[in-house]
Amino acid sequence: MIKLYNTLSREKEEFKPTKDKEVGIYACGPTVYFFAHIGNFRTYVFEDVLRRVLEFNGYAVKFVMNITDVGHLTDDADAGEDKMLLAMRREGKSAQEIAEFYTQAFMADVKKLNIKPADEYPRATDHIQEQIELIKKLEEKGFTYQTTDGVYFDTSKLPDYGRLSGQKSEEKEAGARVAMGEKKNPTDFALWKFSSESEQRLMEWESPWGKGFPGWHIECSAMSAKYLGIPFDIHLGGIDHVPVHHENEIAQTQAAEGKLLANYWVHSDFLTVDGGKMSKSLGNIYTISDLAAKGIDPLAFRYFCLGAHYRTKLNFTTESINAAQNALNNLRDAVRDWDSPSGGCAAYEQEFAAALDDDLNLPEALAVVWQMKDSASASSAKAASLLKFDQVLGLELDQYVAQPLAVPEDVKSLVKDRERAREEKDFERADQLREQIEKKGFTVDDQAAGSKINQKH
Ligand code: AMP
Ligand code: ZN
């Protein structure tokens, strides 16, 4: 039995899919006008782990992630500049070229992080018609009104608007500096925005209301329903999407179809950098490639993400990411000498599964990995269990378990020479030999059983 914290009920709930052993999952995907950063990838890694936990428990998962390739405005309040247009100006490329370039960059990072690809990656621009149809339904049911700049959703018409964040419209009004414009209520949001008359937009479509482009939230309601049916099982995203984006997805579908969009809403908390927000002005918005340039393996970033519960903040610092890289290196080194997998460690497997089932307690699951590694169990049994665990961890440990390091003969003979020097208490020579060994890409550890040769990391 898997328990998940459902933002909708604010409780850990037993997970019960709508279909027996099949689970439909939708996750809000990248906006492809720039590279996804490590904060985004914390969320995508969490989503991948959730998918893997369900598969580990025998569910067949259908995972859908949208690609937002329509230009949207730079803030949540339907104002600001269009991000796609900004990117086009910055890079001197067409909208399609920008979207294609950053989609490919995203896919490359997904692969490096060993995130399982989604079953579908629907693009917003391929589903304009579906979005228009949904807005038409909302219009027929009386949930919309027009202003001079677009078609808006009237949140006051939906009695339980705000159920996801638990915020009432009036509270938002008090708390936020929302640009009201011609909106009737502060929480109302754009379904369709009109192109401005003075400016030819490069991304615009015909609609029953006039030329323009869809609002930000409508694509997710339209595409998730198309690919998964409603209500589907689990809707995922980062915690920032709770008060506006996901609230509005729920409202649109509830109003148009009279149904809840998804039964479980699961959100991961933010990644912070040096204890604060990532921002352009601080120059601390890192990508996976930025980490690689600092010698951090993408899978070490994945390991780093597993080290914090998804509902707590994860603080990225030079020290914390280096610690993750070292831990992963140590694990890789340790498992190389294990015997070929056979059998398993039943007690550790039970503990591992129990940690996952308790709202994805990955830090606890990782602790089980380390306890098992250091235990006196047969290494063949540990190897078998670790490979099972890696179906969830996704650290590609199969490349290390029971795969002894190939040490070239010249390095072996340097190590022998060094052992002899140590016996003769010629420590100066022993140190020189260590340097030579390291130059060849290996390290040597003096252990009770003799010299242990590892890869130099
Ligand atoms: P966006 O492109 O802003 O829609 O973000 C894509 C995904 O990344 C969403 O699920 C966001 O909630 C999530 N996200 C954005 N910033 C962060 C962050 N600093 N830490 C964790 N997740 C984030
Ligand atoms: Zn979305």
Side-chain angles (χ1 to χ4, degrees):
M1 182 186 79
I2 302 176
K3 282 192 163 178
L4 287 176
Y5 183 87
N6 191 348
T7 308
L8 205 53
S9 64
R10 291 165 194 78
E11 271 174 22
K12 266 196 218 175
E13 288 179 36
E14 184 182 333
F15 174 65
K16 291 193 194 122
T18 45
K19 294 193 201 112
D20 190 25
K21 274 288 178 188
E22 279 170 45
V23 180
I25 302 182
Y26 183 89
C28 294
T31 48
V32 286
Y33 347 107
F34 204 57
F35 296 106
H37 55 59
I38 54 173
N40 302 134
F41 278 111
R42 185 218 180 166
T43 293
Y44 301 136
V45 166
F46 146 71
E47 293 167 351
D48 180 56
V49 170
L50 173 56
R51 174 208 188 136
R52 287 167 178 265
V53 167
L54 291 165
E55 289 175 346
F56 194 71
N57 279 271
Y59 292 103
V61 174
K62 179 167 180 188
F63 196 104
V64 179
M65 177 178 274
N66 66 310
I67 303 282
T68 299
D69 59 350
V70 176
H72 287 299
L73 305 170
T74 44
D75 68 16
D76 272 357
D78 301 313
E81 275 199 275
D82 182 316
K83 291 187 228 169
M84 182 61 94
L85 294 182
L86 286 177
M88 289 159 70
R89 234 173 279 147
R90 184 181 68 226
E91 300 183 23
K93 291 186 188 163
S94 73
Q96 284 75 12
E97 283 168 336
I98 299 273
E100 190 53 30
F101 177 81
Y102 289 110
T103 302
Q104 290 316 319
F106 172 72
M107 296 300 175
D109 285 344
V110 160
K111 191 150 188 258
K112 286 184 205 158
L113 289 165
N114 200 22
I115 292 173
K116 289 191 175 187
D119 299 286
E120 304 276 356
Y121 285 108
R123 284 159 214 258
T125 54
D126 290 336
H127 296 81
I128 299 295
Q129 203 47 47
E130 285 87 342
Q131 298 177 60
I132 290 175
E133 291 306 319
L134 190 53
I135 301 170
K136 272 171 55 189
K137 257 195 193 170
L138 289 169
E139 187 177 43
E140 279 158 23
K141 298 199 171 180
F143 284 97
T144 67
Y145 61 92
Q146 274 198 33
T147 69
T148 46
D149 73 352
V151 178
Y152 282 79
F153 185 99
D154 187 344
T155 51
S156 68
K157 295 266 168 75
L158 193 69
D160 60 357
Y161 181 82
R163 59 183 288 198
L164 186 66
S165 60
Q167 259 185 313
K168 297 262 173 299
S169 181
E170 311 83 67
E171 290 169 13
K172 285 197 179 169
E173 190 170 9
R177 0 132 235 125
V178 257
M180 278 291 280
E182 298 164 54
K183 288 201 301 191
K184 293 184 182 168
N185 310 289
T187 44
D188 293 356
F189 54 92
L191 296 164
W192 189 263
K193 291 278 272 190
F194 301 135
S195 302
S196 101
E197 303 228 323
S198 57
E199 204 185 339
Q200 158 81 47
R201 276 181 63 89
L202 292 156
M203 287 190 109
E204 59 183 9
W205 294 268
E206 295 292 346
S207 83
W209 313 279
K211 226 182 241 175
F213 57 103
W216 171 33
H217 319 296
I218 196 79
E219 70 181 66
C220 288
S221 288
M223 299 196 293
S224 61
K226 172 169 176 175
Y227 289 93
L228 295 168
I230 49 174
F232 58 88
D233 296 299
I234 307 178
H235 195 308
L236 300 174
I239 201 167
D240 56 322
H241 281 345
V242 174
V244 178
H245 183 50
H246 289 175
E247 196 77 89
N248 293 346
E249 284 185 34
I250 291 176
Q252 291 165 153
T253 302
Q254 189 68 46
E257 316 290 353
K259 283 187 196 170
L260 187 58
L261 181 59
N263 291 330
Y264 298 82
W265 292 75
V266 187
H267 295 98
S268 59
D269 206 331
F270 258 38
L271 177 139
T272 53
V273 174
D274 297 324
K277 226 182 133 156
M278 275 183 285
S279 78
K280 268 197 198 136
S281 58
L282 292 172
N284 63 1
I285 305 182
Y286 303 119
T287 62
I288 296 301
S289 307
D290 292 337
L291 298 194
K294 291 176 196 264
I296 301 295
D297 177 345
L299 291 176
F301 177 73
R302 185 175 172 105
Y303 182 94
F304 174 68
C305 293
L306 303 178
H309 191 273
Y310 75 91
R311 286 194 288 118
T312 62
K313 284 200 175 33
L314 173 61
N315 189 28
F316 180 95
T317 62
T318 305
E319 294 75 43
S320 63
I321 191 67
N322 285 338
Q325 179 74 67
N326 288 337
L328 183 60
N329 291 343
N330 291 342
L331 187 61
R332 287 169 168 173
D333 290 343
V335 303
R336 280 188 176 283
D337 298 332
W338 286 1
D339 292 331
S340 299
S342 137
C345 302
Y348 289 114
E349 287 188 16
Q350 255 175 26
E351 277 183 51
F352 184 83
L356 300 181
D357 291 352
D358 180 18
D359 194 29
L360 264 60
N361 194 339
L362 265 299
E364 183 73 38
L366 275 187
V368 174
V369 168
W370 288 98
Q371 282 160 21
M372 182 182 77
K373 170 195 155 289
D374 293 330
S375 74
S377 308
S379 72
S380 56
K382 296 200 268 192
S385 294
L386 186 61
L387 291 180
K388 256 190 220 165
F389 298 167
D390 202 43
Q391 290 169 21
V392 170
L393 306 175
L395 297 169
E396 296 182 352
L397 294 171
D398 55 336
Q399 292 178 23
Y400 296 87
V401 171
Q403 316 260 341
L405 191 62
V407 182
E409 286 307 320
D410 60 333
V411 174
K412 282 186 192 160
S413 92
L414 287 172
V415 171
K416 283 239 167 67
D417 290 350
R418 183 171 171 276
E419 281 171 354
R420 221 167 294 128
R422 280 168 52 84
E423 274 160 28
E424 290 161 8
K425 307 231 180 302
D426 185 351
F427 295 114
E428 203 173 314
R429 179 159 165 72
D431 285 348
Q432 284 167 359
L433 285 161
R434 178 196 290 279
E435 270 174 36
Q436 284 183 42
I437 293 164
E438 292 195 359
K439 277 208 187 103
K440 291 185 183 284
F442 294 86
T443 61
V444 55
D445 249 358
D446 304 315
Q447 294 182 347
S451 304
K452 167 107 171 68
I453 308 173
N454 285 323
Q455 206 169 353
K456 186 168 189 293
H457 299 293

